[in-house]
Amino acid sequence: MSTDRHYAREFVRTFFTSPTAVQGEDDSAKMLRSAAQLRGMRAPDVWVPDNEDATAPSMREEGIENIIEVVAEHGADFPGEIHPRVVWHREDPAARYQGFQQMLRVARSDTGAIEHIDGFVIPEVGDVDDWKKADEFFTIVEEECGLEAGSLSMSVIVESGEAELALGDLRAEMGKPSNNLERLFLLVDGEVDYTKDMRAMTPTGELPPWPELRHNTSRGASAAGLIAVDGPYDDIRDVAGYRERMEENRAKGMTGIWSLTPGQVVEANEAPLPPVDGRWLLEVGDEEVALEPDGEAQVYDGDEVGLDVVGDGEYALRVGGDERVLDDEELEAELLDMTAYVPSLDDIVDSMEEFEAAKEAGRGAIAMTQSTTVVIDGVSVEISRDRMWDEATYQAAQTPITLFQDVHEHRPDQHEDLEEMYGADVVERATAVGN
Amino acid sequence: MSTDRHYAREFVRTFFTSPTAVQGEDDSAKMLRSAAQLRGMRAPDVWVPDNEDATAPSMREEGIENIIEVVAEHGADFPGEIHPRVVWHREDPAARYQGFQQMLRVARSDTGAIEHIDGFVIPEVGDVDDWKKADEFFTIVEEECGLEAGSLSMSVIVESGEAELALGDLRAEMGKPSNNLERLFLLVDGEVDYTKDMRAMTPTGELPPWPELRHNTSRGASAAGLIAVDGPYDDIRDVAGYRERMEENRAKGMTGIWSLTPGQVVEANEAPLPPVDGRWLLEVGDEEVALEPDGEAQVYDGDEVGLDVVGDGEYALRVGGDERVLDDEELEAELLDMTAYVPSLDDIVDSMEEFEAAKEAGRGAIAMTQSTTVVIDGVSVEISRDRMWDEATYQAAQTPITLFQDVHEHRPDQHEDLEEMYGADVVERATAVGN
Amino acid sequence: MSTDRHYAREFVRTFFTSPTAVQGEDDSAKMLRSAAQLRGMRAPDVWVPDNEDATAPSMREEGIENIIEVVAEHGADFPGEIHPRVVWHREDPAARYQGFQQMLRVARSDTGAIEHIDGFVIPEVGDVDDWKKADEFFTIVEEECGLEAGSLSMSVIVESGEAELALGDLRAEMGKPSNNLERLFLLVDGEVDYTKDMRAMTPTGELPPWPELRHNTSRGASAAGLIAVDGPYDDIRDVAGYRERMEENRAKGMTGIWSLTPGQVVEANEAPLPPVDGRWLLEVGDEEVALEPDGEAQVYDGDEVGLDVVGDGEYALRVGGDERVLDDEELEAELLDMTAYVPSLDDIVDSMEEFEAAKEAGRGAIAMTQSTTVVIDGVSVEISRDRMWDEATYQAAQTPITLFQDVHEHRPDQHEDLEEMYGADVVERATAVGN
């Protein structure tokens, strides 16, 4: 099995769950109906009408009817994929049978809802044999309803120790002729229930960070050609924290994240896109501070770093409490070490085009120059860095571009937002480069 | 196999090893005798008379006799479980045979010592086939001594790379009819020998933190229905460090820790119990500072955060070197983000009871309110936060209560300590809630 | 299978790749020739003439000829092992066949180059079945060229999720009669391509730290009796960062690191050797500051910690903004907690000899005393710490000595450097102790 993705999307940024039935509302499908009509940056890549935790147990019968009704009505126009979540539990056969019935009901409905549904999400899975039970129900549903075998995707919520262990078996298991596990799509971490299953405790009750779980999910996805998605971020008002979590996740190869609100959807849709403007960072201790652009110069405006001219071509550079006297060359070297550049989408496209041209001309490696003027305490220092680009650098730089192109291809409803953000010219070049 | 624990205890807080033979003492069983007579918070959940590392090789014959003698005499009254550690090594058949003989000798002794023994601890295990060799010796011992198959628990010390890998196989292996690995009980990390086996080095010789090992042990325990226990904390005078380690471990789902002294036993017994009094924390940078209660208010008494009234309903909030002017609403929002509350046992019971009553009344989710007055630089700010509780929140909050109830059920010798700590009323409600 | 290493080296500090063909040079083997003539601390433990990434695809034919020529000429005198890297890719059969041909060509060359070659490095491996394909080509090459089966070592670059997962299977797979995987030698992380394969992104394009990958590689090596080596450190001017990475790696049991330049080779050869002089550290917050030796005393020369005599036997100790008044005993205890000692090679040898003598005399555990005078703000405090040494402590302390002895045995070209560094006497005692 190659690790080529068998489904259309290569990246999924947003996994948005919305309740299917709200007790006591006049219209119990109200929130569902509103989610189905989201567009642009407010619409998720994957929308999950949730008939599990977001719906009270007594409302799940009504919930599944709501899914059928709303998807039949709005599904054709929804810009993302639709993957309802049904009930399931590795230790509860009744829950599993109920999940099976829910899928069957959606698939058999004469409303045609199933035509707009890309797959189902199975929560609370256990070891890989439990995943196979779900897969078998998908297969039966497909057979019963005249769908092609494997046409419905299966996504799972990893929220137990045994499911985490199963992530290491998927690659081998998916190749077996006795199952249709090639239907697997998203591996989603569910940290709330995982924490409960692991019996973990924190003083304030906030969730542990679980870095190993996220690594293992991302690695499992990479090895089996799937897509890894992080779990919900409960504190929905904490936008900075949500962004930080997503940046951490991207460094782990996990590009997608669960969104609980349309506001989180916007954040999560935009977060993995390269920035509109490049920016310079100065590392101070363990922190990275953004420098303030002033024309071509980059100004540091803090107290932690200080710079003085103390003689002819002699400078006193202070970092925290530590001061050193340096000559021009040493100063530039030091500042080069302390600075880093975050490239914009435009910058990445430029570099890739430049490398492609060089490759065309028969050169395998070229030096890319980054230079600027850093201003600290009114003292200006020119810095310039050559970075060698070879095929490997080129390919690594390509990940954000591949993501951008994937978004552009599959989300026409976001074209306007992208053009407004980056300008039509950059968008056009970014969709063309590397192909 | 369900992940339900097959043994009585669901949690083990303390794994206390004590030497079985001290060379050159008049009474070589002195330390053993003294450990056997610990009670209350000074007595561990699991006591491990140690005939391996804590006993010189030449004294192990005498050591096993000491175990038999002391357990026969004091075992009936010991309030925790008793699991002697015998010798074993994945690469030394002689050590394995010796371990077998030691178990056999304990089981065959006409003193009746075996009646008070719950299992044995096997150190230095290798891959899962090595665990099976030990399991087979347990089975033979049981057969030879007329004990029911599987009646002796087996705990292992994970102190090699291959044993760490075996943690991923336990769930599948324990189901096989050809072994009795269902007898597995504790998975204990042994970081000293693990460090040696991994050939790891630190400049000062202190142990590496091994976060991945601890995660894998905890996950293995969760997947196979076992209990994970962290290794020894060598610096026995460093109580703050021991507590910090335990807090880290609990966030990984590892509630138990090795104790080397009765002093560490007290710390480790108390650490996972919810606090007697709730407290507010203020996040300052990466640190969390406890606020000082003053009546209903919570006072911050540090230099890192400052607050001034700068106009009518306008405040200057300084965090580190960063100052912002905020209105009432923004200030409350900011302080809400910066504060966190550590609930007491009483608080947790309250919340659970409130949610249970709501559920009884047919509501699936309710808002719990936390509010207080935060005082910074003499300026008082009321803050109030609603947190939604649903079934998942309820179940996650239950872990510390389940632990408390487990302790209360299995350690009557600690009832007096618990009542003195929390008050009889809170203890009674905490044992009743959630059942 | 025991975890005893089957090959000569137990440790590999440096994995040095050098280009085999440089496009546009008069002498395309120039860099190869220069690498072959490195000696002493500038010569790596393992030299990897690189016919993969460091050589342009169009030059690989010429590259393999260059390897043959240079190794035939200089191989006999090269002080380290020689393991050329050929091309390979888990998803590209043409690349795999090309790698096979390259090995065959080296082995068949009538120059006798193969006599100086210890093995080959296979990049971009996939799951363990992919490793077996490479192993089979090694076996065929050996058979075709009259070499003993298994005589060529195989090292791999782990740079995909599936290869990381394979690390857990090696121990079991290497025992199977259907392969010759016992030839495995180095497990090398390749973070650039791994990052690409995991689709990970960071804002500045710098590599994520991948702590779990490094742990898993080190654990896989430990479980299967192999040697773990970390990947390239791109910023070749950042010596401090390279050293920090190596210190982190050693705490994970990964002693070796990739070197891209002879300068990095020197750093990586010296880094794991114990220091020439011991030194005291003072922990201040999360940082460790080296104290300045002044005769027998150790002077702290910073602002973060302050000490004053405030009365008869009363001291005010300030750490950061936090001041406490302590008596003599409390002050010593506090400073003991805050200090740590980094032992020199000489110190380690002393302690081991002392313990060996005690063991000879029938004692299983002895107390080792470390004492010094710490001077803060002119106030001198005597501190003294006893550490118990038993067999386990002794064996853990042995890792750096085993490493030293391994280096001394296999790298006679570094004897002069070692003696210059440590003095002939210390070198002699260090090679004798523990045997």
PDB file of all heavy atoms in Angstrom, chain A residues 91 127 164 194 196-201 203 208 212 216, chain B residues 3 10-11 171 215 219 222 250-253 343 395:
ATOM      1  N   GLU A  91     -17.056  -0.797  24.544  1.00  0.00           N
ATOM      2  CA  GLU A  91     -17.455  -1.721  25.605  1.00  0.00           C
ATOM      3  C   GLU A  91     -18.966  -1.852  25.739  1.00  0.00           C
ATOM      4  O   GLU A  91     -19.450  -2.357  26.739  1.00  0.00           O
ATOM      5  CB  GLU A  91     -16.821  -1.294  26.945  1.00  0.00           C
ATOM      6  CG  GLU A  91     -15.319  -1.518  26.933  1.00  0.00           C
ATOM      7  CD  GLU A  91     -14.611  -1.001  28.179  1.00  0.00           C
ATOM      8  OE1 GLU A  91     -15.298  -0.584  29.124  1.00  0.00           O
ATOM      9  OE2 GLU A  91     -13.370  -1.028  28.189  1.00  0.00           O
ATOM     10  N   ASP A 127      -9.671  -1.300  20.281  1.00  0.00           N
ATOM     11  CA  ASP A 127      -8.543  -1.794  19.489  1.00  0.00           C
ATOM     12  C   ASP A 127      -8.987  -2.063  18.058  1.00  0.00           C
ATOM     13  O   ASP A 127     -10.148  -1.863  17.702  1.00  0.00           O
ATOM     14  CB  ASP A 127      -7.862  -2.994  20.146  1.00  0.00           C
ATOM     15  CG  ASP A 127      -8.839  -4.048  20.584  1.00  0.00           C
ATOM     16  OD1 ASP A 127      -9.908  -4.153  19.952  1.00  0.00           O
ATOM     17  OD2 ASP A 127      -8.541  -4.765  21.543  1.00  0.00           O
ATOM     18  N   GLU A 164      -5.350   4.285  20.769  1.00  0.00           N
ATOM     19  CA  GLU A 164      -4.047   4.881  20.483  1.00  0.00           C
ATOM     20  C   GLU A 164      -3.078   3.799  20.010  1.00  0.00           C
ATOM     21  O   GLU A 164      -2.319   4.001  19.057  1.00  0.00           O
ATOM     22  CB  GLU A 164      -3.501   5.589  21.731  1.00  0.00           C
ATOM     23  CG  GLU A 164      -2.220   6.366  21.444  1.00  0.00           C
ATOM     24  CD  GLU A 164      -1.577   6.935  22.701  1.00  0.00           C
ATOM     25  OE1 GLU A 164      -2.210   6.918  23.769  1.00  0.00           O
ATOM     26  OE2 GLU A 164      -0.414   7.377  22.596  1.00  0.00           O
ATOM     27  N   TYR A 194     -10.493  10.649  26.471  1.00  0.00           N
ATOM     28  CA  TYR A 194      -9.182  10.003  26.624  1.00  0.00           C
ATOM     29  C   TYR A 194      -8.658  10.225  28.040  1.00  0.00           C
ATOM     30  O   TYR A 194      -8.141   9.302  28.691  1.00  0.00           O
ATOM     31  CB  TYR A 194      -8.225  10.572  25.584  1.00  0.00           C
ATOM     32  CG  TYR A 194      -6.831   9.986  25.607  1.00  0.00           C
ATOM     33  CD1 TYR A 194      -6.557   8.759  25.009  1.00  0.00           C
ATOM     34  CD2 TYR A 194      -5.775  10.659  26.210  1.00  0.00           C
ATOM     35  CE1 TYR A 194      -5.276   8.230  25.012  1.00  0.00           C
ATOM     36  CE2 TYR A 194      -4.493  10.147  26.220  1.00  0.00           C
ATOM     37  CZ  TYR A 194      -4.246   8.931  25.622  1.00  0.00           C
ATOM     38  OH  TYR A 194      -2.975   8.407  25.630  1.00  0.00           O
ATOM     39  N   LYS A 196     -10.348  10.777  30.694  1.00  0.00           N
ATOM     40  CA  LYS A 196     -11.138   9.940  31.598  1.00  0.00           C
ATOM     41  C   LYS A 196     -10.671   8.488  31.512  1.00  0.00           C
ATOM     42  O   LYS A 196     -10.449   7.840  32.530  1.00  0.00           O
ATOM     43  CB  LYS A 196     -12.613  10.042  31.191  1.00  0.00           C
ATOM     44  CG  LYS A 196     -13.586   9.426  32.149  1.00  0.00           C
ATOM     45  CD  LYS A 196     -15.005   9.538  31.604  1.00  0.00           C
ATOM     46  CE  LYS A 196     -15.201   8.644  30.386  1.00  0.00           C
ATOM     47  NZ  LYS A 196     -16.477   8.851  29.707  1.00  0.00           N
ATOM     48  N   ASP A 197     -10.470   7.991  30.293  1.00  0.00           N
ATOM     49  CA  ASP A 197     -10.062   6.600  30.112  1.00  0.00           C
ATOM     50  C   ASP A 197      -8.679   6.339  30.706  1.00  0.00           C
ATOM     51  O   ASP A 197      -8.406   5.250  31.214  1.00  0.00           O
ATOM     52  CB  ASP A 197     -10.052   6.253  28.619  1.00  0.00           C
ATOM     53  CG  ASP A 197      -9.855   4.770  28.376  1.00  0.00           C
ATOM     54  OD1 ASP A 197     -10.769   4.000  28.718  1.00  0.00           O
ATOM     55  OD2 ASP A 197      -8.778   4.374  27.869  1.00  0.00           O
ATOM     56  N   MET A 198      -7.808   7.327  30.641  1.00  0.00           N
ATOM     57  CA  MET A 198      -6.452   7.176  31.194  1.00  0.00           C
ATOM     58  C   MET A 198      -6.439   7.458  32.698  1.00  0.00           C
ATOM     59  O   MET A 198      -5.414   7.312  33.335  1.00  0.00           O
ATOM     60  CB  MET A 198      -5.499   8.135  30.490  1.00  0.00           C
ATOM     61  CG  MET A 198      -5.248   7.822  29.029  1.00  0.00           C
ATOM     62  SD  MET A 198      -4.077   6.440  28.775  1.00  0.00           S
ATOM     63  CE  MET A 198      -2.508   7.318  28.982  1.00  0.00           C
ATOM     64  N   ARG A 199      -7.594   7.894  33.248  1.00  0.00           N
ATOM     65  CA  ARG A 199      -7.702   8.234  34.674  1.00  0.00           C
ATOM     66  C   ARG A 199      -6.730   9.338  35.063  1.00  0.00           C
ATOM     67  O   ARG A 199      -6.175   9.340  36.167  1.00  0.00           O
ATOM     68  CB  ARG A 199      -7.435   7.019  35.546  1.00  0.00           C
ATOM     69  CG  ARG A 199      -8.306   5.856  35.178  1.00  0.00           C
ATOM     70  CD  ARG A 199      -8.341   4.839  36.248  1.00  0.00           C
ATOM     71  NE  ARG A 199      -9.547   4.046  36.091  1.00  0.00           N
ATOM     72  CZ  ARG A 199     -10.110   3.375  37.068  1.00  0.00           C
ATOM     73  NH1 ARG A 199      -9.597   3.415  38.279  1.00  0.00           N
ATOM     74  NH2 ARG A 199     -11.195   2.677  36.855  1.00  0.00           N
ATOM     75  N   ALA A 200      -6.514  10.250  34.144  1.00  0.00           N
ATOM     76  CA  ALA A 200      -5.589  11.359  34.413  1.00  0.00           C
ATOM     77  C   ALA A 200      -6.311  12.466  35.168  1.00  0.00           C
ATOM     78  O   ALA A 200      -7.517  12.656  35.005  1.00  0.00           O
ATOM     79  CB  ALA A 200      -5.017  11.885  33.116  1.00  0.00           C
ATOM     80  N   MET A 201      -5.561  13.180  35.983  1.00  0.00           N
ATOM     81  CA  MET A 201      -6.125  14.264  36.787  1.00  0.00           C
ATOM     82  C   MET A 201      -5.183  15.463  36.771  1.00  0.00           C
ATOM     83  O   MET A 201      -3.973  15.304  36.828  1.00  0.00           O
ATOM     84  CB  MET A 201      -6.266  13.813  38.244  1.00  0.00           C
ATOM     85  CG  MET A 201      -7.281  12.711  38.461  1.00  0.00           C
ATOM     86  SD  MET A 201      -7.397  12.236  40.221  1.00  0.00           S
ATOM     87  CE  MET A 201      -5.981  11.136  40.371  1.00  0.00           C
ATOM     88  N   PRO A 203      -4.921  19.512  38.713  1.00  0.00           N
ATOM     89  CA  PRO A 203      -5.514  20.209  39.862  1.00  0.00           C
ATOM     90  C   PRO A 203      -6.761  21.003  39.489  1.00  0.00           C
ATOM     91  O   PRO A 203      -7.776  20.939  40.188  1.00  0.00           O
ATOM     92  CB  PRO A 203      -4.391  21.133  40.327  1.00  0.00           C
ATOM     93  CG  PRO A 203      -3.130  20.477  39.885  1.00  0.00           C
ATOM     94  CD  PRO A 203      -3.470  19.802  38.587  1.00  0.00           C
ATOM     95  N   PRO A 208      -4.892  17.606  30.306  1.00  0.00           N
ATOM     96  CA  PRO A 208      -3.444  17.466  30.107  1.00  0.00           C
ATOM     97  C   PRO A 208      -3.107  17.697  28.624  1.00  0.00           C
ATOM     98  O   PRO A 208      -3.976  17.534  27.765  1.00  0.00           O
ATOM     99  CB  PRO A 208      -3.163  16.017  30.500  1.00  0.00           C
ATOM    100  CG  PRO A 208      -4.325  15.590  31.331  1.00  0.00           C
ATOM    101  CD  PRO A 208      -5.500  16.354  30.791  1.00  0.00           C
ATOM    102  N   GLU A 212       2.268  13.005  23.450  1.00  0.00           N
ATOM    103  CA  GLU A 212       2.563  11.709  22.839  1.00  0.00           C
ATOM    104  C   GLU A 212       1.360  11.201  22.050  1.00  0.00           C
ATOM    105  O   GLU A 212       1.515  10.639  20.964  1.00  0.00           O
ATOM    106  CB  GLU A 212       2.962  10.673  23.902  1.00  0.00           C
ATOM    107  CG  GLU A 212       4.249  10.999  24.649  1.00  0.00           C
ATOM    108  CD  GLU A 212       4.032  11.848  25.893  1.00  0.00           C
ATOM    109  OE1 GLU A 212       2.856  12.209  26.162  1.00  0.00           O
ATOM    110  OE2 GLU A 212       5.008  12.162  26.596  1.00  0.00           O
ATOM    111  N   ASN A 216       1.437  10.269  18.131  1.00  0.00           N
ATOM    112  CA  ASN A 216       1.097   8.935  17.650  1.00  0.00           C
ATOM    113  C   ASN A 216      -0.058   8.971  16.647  1.00  0.00           C
ATOM    114  O   ASN A 216      -0.101   8.175  15.706  1.00  0.00           O
ATOM    115  CB  ASN A 216       0.758   8.022  18.833  1.00  0.00           C
ATOM    116  CG  ASN A 216       1.980   7.759  19.697  1.00  0.00           C
ATOM    117  OD1 ASN A 216       3.117   7.867  19.238  1.00  0.00           O
ATOM    118  ND2 ASN A 216       1.758   7.444  20.962  1.00  0.00           N
TER     119      ASN A 216
ATOM    120  N   THR B   3     -11.800  -3.638  29.846  1.00  0.00           N
ATOM    121  CA  THR B   3     -10.676  -3.104  30.619  1.00  0.00           C
ATOM    122  C   THR B   3     -11.028  -2.992  32.103  1.00  0.00           C
ATOM    123  O   THR B   3     -10.365  -2.312  32.850  1.00  0.00           O
ATOM    124  CB  THR B   3     -10.268  -1.722  30.092  1.00  0.00           C
ATOM    125  OG1 THR B   3     -11.418  -0.889  30.097  1.00  0.00           O
ATOM    126  CG2 THR B   3      -9.690  -1.800  28.704  1.00  0.00           C
ATOM    127  N   GLU B  10      -8.575  -0.311  42.454  1.00  0.00           N
ATOM    128  CA  GLU B  10      -8.570   0.354  41.153  1.00  0.00           C
ATOM    129  C   GLU B  10      -7.396   1.316  41.054  1.00  0.00           C
ATOM    130  O   GLU B  10      -6.957   1.681  39.976  1.00  0.00           O
ATOM    131  CB  GLU B  10      -9.867   1.127  40.951  1.00  0.00           C
ATOM    132  CG  GLU B  10     -11.046   0.236  40.702  1.00  0.00           C
ATOM    133  CD  GLU B  10     -12.219   1.075  40.284  1.00  0.00           C
ATOM    134  OE1 GLU B  10     -12.242   1.533  39.135  1.00  0.00           O
ATOM    135  OE2 GLU B  10     -13.116   1.285  41.131  1.00  0.00           O
ATOM    136  N   PHE B  11      -6.961   1.791  42.204  1.00  0.00           N
ATOM    137  CA  PHE B  11      -5.850   2.736  42.251  1.00  0.00           C
ATOM    138  C   PHE B  11      -4.814   2.224  43.249  1.00  0.00           C
ATOM    139  O   PHE B  11      -5.171   1.628  44.256  1.00  0.00           O
ATOM    140  CB  PHE B  11      -6.328   4.117  42.727  1.00  0.00           C
ATOM    141  CG  PHE B  11      -7.210   4.816  41.744  1.00  0.00           C
ATOM    142  CD1 PHE B  11      -8.586   4.682  41.796  1.00  0.00           C
ATOM    143  CD2 PHE B  11      -6.662   5.624  40.749  1.00  0.00           C
ATOM    144  CE1 PHE B  11      -9.402   5.335  40.877  1.00  0.00           C
ATOM    145  CE2 PHE B  11      -7.474   6.276  39.834  1.00  0.00           C
ATOM    146  CZ  PHE B  11      -8.850   6.126  39.899  1.00  0.00           C
ATOM    147  N   ARG B 171      -2.531  -6.199  26.042  1.00  0.00           N
ATOM    148  CA  ARG B 171      -3.980  -6.370  25.857  1.00  0.00           C
ATOM    149  C   ARG B 171      -4.293  -7.619  25.032  1.00  0.00           C
ATOM    150  O   ARG B 171      -5.156  -8.417  25.406  1.00  0.00           O
ATOM    151  CB  ARG B 171      -4.528  -5.125  25.164  1.00  0.00           C
ATOM    152  CG  ARG B 171      -6.020  -5.090  25.081  1.00  0.00           C
ATOM    153  CD  ARG B 171      -6.498  -3.771  24.477  1.00  0.00           C
ATOM    154  NE  ARG B 171      -7.819  -3.934  23.956  1.00  0.00           N
ATOM    155  CZ  ARG B 171      -8.927  -3.893  24.697  1.00  0.00           C
ATOM    156  NH1 ARG B 171      -8.839  -3.643  25.980  1.00  0.00           N
ATOM    157  NH2 ARG B 171     -10.102  -4.098  24.157  1.00  0.00           N
ATOM    158  N   HIS B 215       4.390   7.833  29.673  1.00  0.00           N
ATOM    159  CA  HIS B 215       3.162   7.808  28.875  1.00  0.00           C
ATOM    160  C   HIS B 215       2.841   6.386  28.420  1.00  0.00           C
ATOM    161  O   HIS B 215       1.694   5.937  28.511  1.00  0.00           O
ATOM    162  CB  HIS B 215       3.304   8.705  27.650  1.00  0.00           C
ATOM    163  CG  HIS B 215       2.109   8.639  26.738  1.00  0.00           C
ATOM    164  ND1 HIS B 215       0.915   9.244  27.033  1.00  0.00           N
ATOM    165  CD2 HIS B 215       1.907   7.991  25.556  1.00  0.00           C
ATOM    166  CE1 HIS B 215       0.041   9.001  26.074  1.00  0.00           C
ATOM    167  NE2 HIS B 215       0.617   8.234  25.169  1.00  0.00           N
ATOM    168  N   ARG B 219      -0.443   4.290  29.291  1.00  0.00           N
ATOM    169  CA  ARG B 219      -1.324   3.859  28.201  1.00  0.00           C
ATOM    170  C   ARG B 219      -1.471   2.343  28.196  1.00  0.00           C
ATOM    171  O   ARG B 219      -2.569   1.805  28.005  1.00  0.00           O
ATOM    172  CB  ARG B 219      -0.747   4.313  26.861  1.00  0.00           C
ATOM    173  CG  ARG B 219      -1.582   3.896  25.690  1.00  0.00           C
ATOM    174  CD  ARG B 219      -0.913   4.261  24.385  1.00  0.00           C
ATOM    175  NE  ARG B 219       0.392   3.630  24.240  1.00  0.00           N
ATOM    176  CZ  ARG B 219       1.182   3.780  23.182  1.00  0.00           C
ATOM    177  NH1 ARG B 219       0.822   4.578  22.195  1.00  0.00           N
ATOM    178  NH2 ARG B 219       2.342   3.159  23.119  1.00  0.00           N
ATOM    179  N   SER B 222      -3.784   1.428  30.911  1.00  0.00           N
ATOM    180  CA  SER B 222      -5.158   1.771  30.575  1.00  0.00           C
ATOM    181  C   SER B 222      -5.739   0.765  29.584  1.00  0.00           C
ATOM    182  O   SER B 222      -6.879   0.314  29.730  1.00  0.00           O
ATOM    183  CB  SER B 222      -5.204   3.185  29.988  1.00  0.00           C
ATOM    184  OG  SER B 222      -6.486   3.492  29.523  1.00  0.00           O
ATOM    185  N   ARG B 250       0.211  12.349  37.497  1.00  0.00           N
ATOM    186  CA  ARG B 250      -1.255  12.242  37.490  1.00  0.00           C
ATOM    187  C   ARG B 250      -1.830  12.785  36.184  1.00  0.00           C
ATOM    188  O   ARG B 250      -2.820  12.279  35.677  1.00  0.00           O
ATOM    189  CB  ARG B 250      -1.852  12.983  38.693  1.00  0.00           C
ATOM    190  CG  ARG B 250      -1.658  12.240  39.997  1.00  0.00           C
ATOM    191  CD  ARG B 250      -2.545  12.787  41.107  1.00  0.00           C
ATOM    192  NE  ARG B 250      -2.284  14.184  41.384  1.00  0.00           N
ATOM    193  CZ  ARG B 250      -1.339  14.659  42.193  1.00  0.00           C
ATOM    194  NH1 ARG B 250      -0.509  13.824  42.795  1.00  0.00           N
ATOM    195  NH2 ARG B 250      -1.198  15.945  42.395  1.00  0.00           N
ATOM    196  N   ALA B 251      -1.166  13.806  35.623  1.00  0.00           N
ATOM    197  CA  ALA B 251      -1.623  14.357  34.346  1.00  0.00           C
ATOM    198  C   ALA B 251      -1.365  13.371  33.210  1.00  0.00           C
ATOM    199  O   ALA B 251      -1.847  13.546  32.093  1.00  0.00           O
ATOM    200  CB  ALA B 251      -0.942  15.686  34.059  1.00  0.00           C
ATOM    201  N   LYS B 252      -0.600  12.324  33.488  1.00  0.00           N
ATOM    202  CA  LYS B 252      -0.345  11.280  32.504  1.00  0.00           C
ATOM    203  C   LYS B 252      -1.183  10.034  32.789  1.00  0.00           C
ATOM    204  O   LYS B 252      -1.058   9.033  32.079  1.00  0.00           O
ATOM    205  CB  LYS B 252       1.136  10.895  32.531  1.00  0.00           C
ATOM    206  CG  LYS B 252       2.063  11.932  31.943  1.00  0.00           C
ATOM    207  CD  LYS B 252       3.516  11.572  32.177  1.00  0.00           C
ATOM    208  CE  LYS B 252       4.425  12.358  31.252  1.00  0.00           C
ATOM    209  NZ  LYS B 252       4.336  11.970  29.834  1.00  0.00           N
ATOM    210  N   GLY B 253      -1.976  10.079  33.826  1.00  0.00           N
ATOM    211  CA  GLY B 253      -2.786   8.919  34.174  1.00  0.00           C
ATOM    212  C   GLY B 253      -2.061   7.915  35.041  1.00  0.00           C
ATOM    213  O   GLY B 253      -2.470   6.759  35.143  1.00  0.00           O
ATOM    214  N   PRO B 343     -10.441  22.974  42.691  1.00  0.00           N
ATOM    215  CA  PRO B 343     -11.549  22.648  43.590  1.00  0.00           C
ATOM    216  C   PRO B 343     -11.118  21.736  44.736  1.00  0.00           C
ATOM    217  O   PRO B 343     -10.235  20.891  44.578  1.00  0.00           O
ATOM    218  CB  PRO B 343     -12.543  21.932  42.671  1.00  0.00           C
ATOM    219  CG  PRO B 343     -11.710  21.360  41.572  1.00  0.00           C
ATOM    220  CD  PRO B 343     -10.543  22.289  41.391  1.00  0.00           C
ATOM    221  N   GLN B 395     -18.291  12.792  34.302  1.00  0.00           N
ATOM    222  CA  GLN B 395     -17.482  11.580  34.398  1.00  0.00           C
ATOM    223  C   GLN B 395     -16.000  11.887  34.581  1.00  0.00           C
ATOM    224  O   GLN B 395     -15.294  11.169  35.280  1.00  0.00           O
ATOM    225  CB  GLN B 395     -17.704  10.708  33.163  1.00  0.00           C
ATOM    226  CG  GLN B 395     -19.069  10.032  33.211  1.00  0.00           C
ATOM    227  CD  GLN B 395     -19.281   9.072  32.066  1.00  0.00           C
ATOM    228  OE1 GLN B 395     -18.318   8.616  31.446  1.00  0.00           O
ATOM    229  NE2 GLN B 395     -20.517   8.760  31.774  1.00  0.00           N
TER     230      GLN B 395
END
